[in-house]
Amino acid sequence: MTNHWDNYHRHWRLLDAPLRPTPETVGIFERELDLANADVLLLGVTPELAVPGRSMLAIDQSATMISGVWAGDNASRRAMAGDWLDLPVAGASTEAVIGDGCLSAVASKSARNRLHGEIARVLKPGGRAAIRVFAAPETTEDLAEIEAQVLAGSIENFHALKWRIAMACTAGGLDFAIKVQAIRDTFDRLFPDRETLAARAGWSIASINTIDVYAGSDTSYSFATMAVLVNEAKGWFDEVRVVPSGSYPLAERCPLLVLRSPRRR
């Protein structure tokens, strides 16, 4: 079994929204957190989010993601390997924290709680954070209906389909977790003929084949509902807001979770 993040960077150029933030989304991050003159901590090395701020430190667990995706260090921006659940950053030292999909990249309620705790710990008094989330709908979708929508041409791109399959298959309970291998297995069961799918949906085979990065991975994601994500965040922040993140495919499930007034524990 492998950690698929070590190969993920090879497919980066083939990913579209909702997996990557759009320029509109980046503008919303900047507006909501007033990032122009802030020292920013970026969770991950998402290239689109590497621009805002007076200075930036990016932290990612995968050295290969850093070498494959990060644009390179300079006088005001640098990246380093590290654990989001044990950030190598001093307490109350950061003006703003941003990230893309971070709460889905950790696979349990406990891990989401630890991540919120670390964000709260490193923020200065008056600091603020925003994480774009991937939130499952309150009512679980039926896989047969998703399949029918694909064949009818009403799902905009492959990456929106991938997240809808993941959310439809996410286990209940507190964690809302799913192994990424299971996302691929379910896709292959629904659409065993990728050439036919590409022709029917108008998607490229290269885009569809990005799902193969999940093959053999022991990584799990979590797709909690928006209500759960907000409730968990309120355990660490006095101000929690949900802000729309743009108008791309599946954007209604990918808002920003904007966090202010961290609590110390």
Side-chain angles (χ1 to χ4, degrees), residues 2-251:
T2 64
N3 178 349
H4 73 278
W5 290 109
D6 290 338
N7 294 308
Y8 201 68
H9 67 282
R10 304 180 193 277
H11 304 276
W12 193 260
R13 64 181 179 81
L14 295 170
L15 304 182
D16 297 311
L19 267 65
R20 292 174 64 173
T22 66
E24 180 185 17
T25 302
V26 175
I28 295 169
F29 270 100
E30 293 176 317
R31 182 195 72 208
E32 288 295 324
L33 300 190
D34 189 21
L35 293 177
N37 296 307
D39 296 317
V40 180
L41 175 64
L42 171 61
L43 303 180
V45 286
T46 305
E48 293 85 351
L49 294 182
V51 177
R54 175 177 56 218
S55 70
M56 176 171 288
L57 171 64
I59 296 176
D60 197 285
Q61 67 170 352
S62 171
T64 56
M65 278 293 289
I66 296 172
S67 62
V69 173
W70 183 249
D73 293 353
N74 59 33
S76 62
R77 298 175 196 281
R78 64 186 179 95
M80 63 182 293
D83 184 351
W84 295 344
L85 306 186
D86 186 18
L87 288 167
V89 177
S93 64
T94 304
E95 292 177 318
V97 177
I98 60 176
D100 196 58
C102 304
L103 290 167
S104 285
V106 295
S108 67
K109 175 182 174 66
S110 173
R112 294 192 300 270
N113 187 58
R114 286 181 61 189
L115 180 53
H116 281 309
E118 279 297 276
I119 295 171
R121 180 185 68 81
V122 303
L123 283 176
K124 293 180 177 180
R128 60 274 191 201
I131 305 296
R132 189 169 70 105
V133 300
F134 303 133
E138 295 294 332
T139 301
T140 302
E141 285 191 289
D142 180 75
L143 285 171
E145 177 59 26
I146 294 174
E147 180 183 10
Q149 289 184 31
V150 170
L151 298 178
S154 58
I155 295 182
E156 297 95 327
N157 66 36
F158 173 72
H159 305 297
L161 168 64
K162 182 166 62 179
W163 264 191
R164 287 180 66 172
I165 289 174
M167 292 172 183
C169 295
T170 296
L174 298 176
D175 293 337
F176 296 89
I178 181 172
K179 287 189 175 295
V180 298
Q181 173 72 54
I183 302 172
R184 179 179 182 266
D185 291 346
T186 303
F187 166 75
D188 281 340
R189 187 171 69 252
L190 291 173
F191 304 101
D193 187 336
R194 296 187 185 184
E195 294 284 352
T196 297
L197 172 63
R200 290 285 297 271
W203 303 334
S204 72
I205 282 291
S207 175
I208 293 170
N209 287 346
T210 59
I211 201 167
D212 290 332
V213 75
Y214 293 162
S217 176
D218 59 1
T219 300
S220 293
Y221 287 162
S222 64
F223 294 93
T225 65
M226 199 68 242
V228 167
L229 292 171
V230 167
N231 186 60
E232 291 175 352
K234 285 182 175 179
W236 290 97
F237 300 89
D238 288 332
E239 182 182 339
V240 178
R241 293 188 300 119
V242 178
V243 177
S245 68
S247 54
Y248 51 88
L250 214 65

